[in-house]
Amino acid sequence: MDAPTKTRVERGDELELTVDSLAFGGAGVARRDGYVVFVRDAIPGDTVRAVVTKRKKAYAEARTVALLEPGPERIEPVAAHPGAPWQVLPYERQVAIKAEQVQDALQRIGHLEGYELEPLVPAVEQWRYRNKLEYSFGTAPDGELICGFHAPGSWEQIEHVEDCLLASEAGNEARRASLRWCRERGLRAYDRRAQTGLLRNLVVREGRRTGELQVRIVTSDEGLVASDFDGFAEAVGAGSVVWTRALDVGETTAGGISEVLHGTEAIEEELGGLRFRISADAFFQTNTEMAERLYGLAAEYAGLQGWERVYDLFCGIGTIGLSLAPRAGEVWGLEIVEEAIADAIANARRNEIDNVRFFAGDVRLALRQMVDTSGRPDVLVVDPPRSGLSSKIVRRVIEAAPTRIVYVSCNPTTLAPNAAQLVEAGYALRRVRPVDMFPQTPHIECVALLERA
Ligand SMILES: C[S@@+](CC[C@H](N)C(=O)[O-])C[C@H]1O[C@@H](n2cnc3c(N)ncnc32)[C@H](O)[C@@H]1O
């Protein structure tokens, strides 16, 4: 039989496609004569018209422009929201797909077996669960200043949002008040193409349990002075107001030069009976309620008896290490962002926990030194960014020779190869449990336990 001829697909082509499954990251998967097309904004069973946005030898990417025939599982979205692409799937399907994708990653990418995949922990709140939202300023076609999110796939176009369904009412009101104040002053948005103009981002962060609010306004470096923001703090009603001048053209809100315009430079949140200080530049899990469950699971997997030396790598403001400390002999935390380590040290003091030590450093370079200073860990917790652990870090972890490794992962496609490397080195993957931190989105968090076999 002849091999099927691959239909040539070009960037800009409009295709009619039927989606048969969902890929990691949430795109629909469709096939044209065996050639895979990843289709944004489409779910299994949908027939869509989609425009090709990227073409590679092995696959193409496309964006849905018209839904021709909805799939049988599709439900009405609550409201248009670029941050909630899976709201067209019933919640039970979202979590079932996430559990399947974890299994799929472990088996197909990691070739792992013999572990127990425990039932996914569903989210307590399916909407308004985020304690931090990063918005972008933009300009509407009629010239009006707007504040919302990037249109899907666009670095330039901003879609205004009136009610962000992932934020609390207080968070929404802080954004609306900020926008009102900026409009009244006649301030203009930063033009991402021309790289001119002023207002870039607005970050609203909330202590969900403490009610504390931080508003951070990010501008370009256009000769503004702090007094240009007189009245802003009163208008937005937040206990912490920070102004950041971004120094480069990228869209990231981290970095730049920050100045506290009003109140404190950090807010506080409560988690697992502890109180945490969170600086503007420090990472903090965006779903407070589910972070508590995630850390509870990490503690269960750590199985501490009270005498162990625990390493908390990629520790942020120390949340996991401090949660484990009362059940451990000692805890050593390592994190690259210095402000986060300052928070971690302050958090230990504030919670009167004295068997912890936190250090600023790159895990890749500083882990060996930590082992030399403290001795090898009995339990090692890692919670890396989406990119997972580099091969070098995996080698350093293996050298450190912990008895147990608790791996908190926000990306099963990097957990799987990392777990496979550790299994190769003599660890056994025992248990894995997904936790739904991000309803209405394809993002997957899970905790895994590896033990020296
Ligand atoms: C997913 S967050 C986890 C933070 C913390 N465990 C928590 O639950 O809040 C990952 C953290 O790793 C830090 N990080 C990234 N690369 C690092 C590296 N090479 N060395 C040390 N820390 C790093 C980031 O700054 C961030 O705080």
Side-chain angles (χ1 to χ4, degrees):
M1 204 171 80
D2 289 343
T5 45
K6 295 231 183 334
T7 315
R8 213 176 152 69
V9 164
E10 295 299 341
R11 193 160 177 265
D13 282 357
E14 277 206 348
L15 310 174
E16 188 176 314
L17 298 164
T18 299
V19 170
D20 55 45
S21 57
L22 283 166
F24 293 110
V29 181
R31 288 178 175 82
R32 259 171 76 95
D33 303 327
Y35 182 72
V36 171
V37 184
F38 294 105
V39 194
R40 194 153 3 102
D41 299 327
I43 59 170
D46 282 351
T47 299
V48 299
R49 193 162 59 245
V51 62
V52 176
T53 51
K54 192 187 267 184
R55 187 186 73 89
K56 299 258 186 183
K57 208 163 168 198
Y59 68 90
E61 291 175 12
R63 175 172 47 85
T64 299
V65 288
L67 178 62
L68 303 176
E69 178 130 2
E73 294 178 317
R74 184 175 270 276
I75 57 172
E76 274 302 307
V78 177
H81 195 305
W86 274 18
Q87 58 168 316
V88 293
L89 280 167
Y91 186 64
E92 313 77 68
R93 279 301 292 147
Q94 295 180 26
V95 290
I97 293 167
K98 289 182 186 190
E100 278 162 27
Q101 291 196 336
V102 172
Q103 181 80 301
D104 211 39
L106 295 172
Q107 293 182 347
R108 296 221 320 234
I109 303 174
H111 306 290
L112 293 154
E113 51 188 33
Y115 58 88
E116 187 184 349
L117 179 62
E118 300 177 352
L120 177 144
V121 183
V124 174
E125 297 159 298
Q126 291 173 17
W127 291 100
R128 301 202 188 280
Y129 56 82
R130 286 189 69 99
N131 56 32
K132 182 184 177 193
L133 269 301
E134 300 193 8
Y135 304 100
S136 296
F137 286 102
T139 308
D142 65 0
E144 189 173 37
L145 179 70
I146 55 175
C147 187
F149 299 108
H150 281 263
S154 171
W155 57 274
E156 190 182 12
Q157 195 196 333
I158 305 301
E159 287 178 357
H160 180 66
V161 61
E162 203 46 46
D163 178 18
C164 170
L165 292 168
L166 299 181
S168 72
E169 193 36 59
N172 269 298
E173 190 40 43
R175 186 199 60 257
R176 287 190 289 260
S178 302
L179 179 62
R180 268 197 307 274
W181 187 88
C182 292
R183 279 177 176 167
E184 280 162 17
R185 294 290 170 297
L187 302 180
R188 310 299 303 160
Y190 177 72
D191 181 327
R192 289 163 178 83
R193 184 174 288 271
Q195 295 175 18
T196 56
L198 203 63
L199 301 174
R200 296 174 60 129
N201 304 92
L202 189 79
V203 186
V204 181
R205 196 174 223 179
E206 239 188 297
R208 302 284 287 219
R209 305 258 172 85
T210 59
E212 293 185 15
L213 202 62
Q214 179 177 73
V215 170
R216 179 180 183 186
I217 189 158
V218 184
T219 69
S220 59
D221 193 21
E222 283 226 334
L224 284 171
V225 288
S227 59
D228 291 328
F229 291 97
D230 282 352
F232 180 67
E234 292 72 21
V236 301
S240 167
V241 179
V242 178
W243 166 41
T244 299
R245 275 174 295 151
L247 300 178
D248 61 27
V249 296
E251 194 58 25
T252 170
T253 52
I257 298 173
S258 291
E259 200 170 318
V260 178
L261 295 175
H262 170 75
T264 53
E265 59 184 323
I267 58 164
E268 295 197 350
E269 180 60 302
E270 280 172 10
L271 212 67
L274 301 175
R275 201 164 166 107
F276 293 101
R277 167 200 157 91
I278 317 167
S279 285
D281 272 331
F283 174 92
F284 186 73
Q285 295 286 352
T286 49
N287 186 334
T288 304
E289 200 70 44
M290 296 312 290
E292 204 160 65
R293 289 185 174 51
L294 186 75
Y295 297 157
L297 200 53
E300 184 189 326
Y301 281 15
L304 299 171
Q305 315 264 309
W307 50 266
E308 296 88 345
R309 180 179 299 125
V310 177
Y311 278 13
D312 177 11
L313 305 183
F314 307 90
C315 69
I317 61 166
T319 40
I320 298 181
L322 290 165
S323 311
L324 296 180
R327 283 168 267 188
E330 57 191 74
V331 175
W332 295 68
L334 188 54
E335 155 68 42
I336 205 162
V337 175
E338 287 179 8
E339 290 84 350
I341 284 298
D343 286 353
I345 293 168
N347 287 331
R349 225 175 282 133
R350 163 168 288 135
N351 292 289
E352 296 176 3
I353 296 175
D354 56 14
N355 60 340
V356 294
R357 301 271 179 284
F358 290 108
F359 296 90
D362 185 335
V363 171
R364 197 169 62 88
L365 305 170
L367 178 54
R368 221 177 219 177
Q369 203 183 333
M370 188 170 260
V371 177
D372 290 343
T373 312
S374 73
R376 54 158 286 276
D378 302 293
V379 175
L380 181 144
V381 181
V382 287
D383 183 5
R386 287 181 56 74
S387 52
L389 305 176
S390 66
S391 307
K392 181 163 178 178
I393 294 180
V394 174
R395 285 202 300 278
R396 293 286 175 268
V397 167
I398 294 164
E399 259 174 38
T403 308
R404 297 185 143 197
I405 299 171
V406 178
Y407 193 135
V408 180
S409 163
C410 55
N411 183 355
T413 69
T414 54
L415 166 67
N418 284 164
Q421 288 163 291
L422 292 165
V423 166
E424 174 90 351
Y427 284 87
L429 178 62
R430 301 271 189 232
R431 303 164 68 179
V432 182
R433 186 155 197 189
V435 178
D436 193 21
M437 310 280 288
F438 311 105
Q440 324 304 340
T441 83
H443 299 298
I444 305 177
E445 188 85 18
C446 53
V447 186
L449 170 65
L450 294 114
E451 280 178 323
R452 251 209 324 249

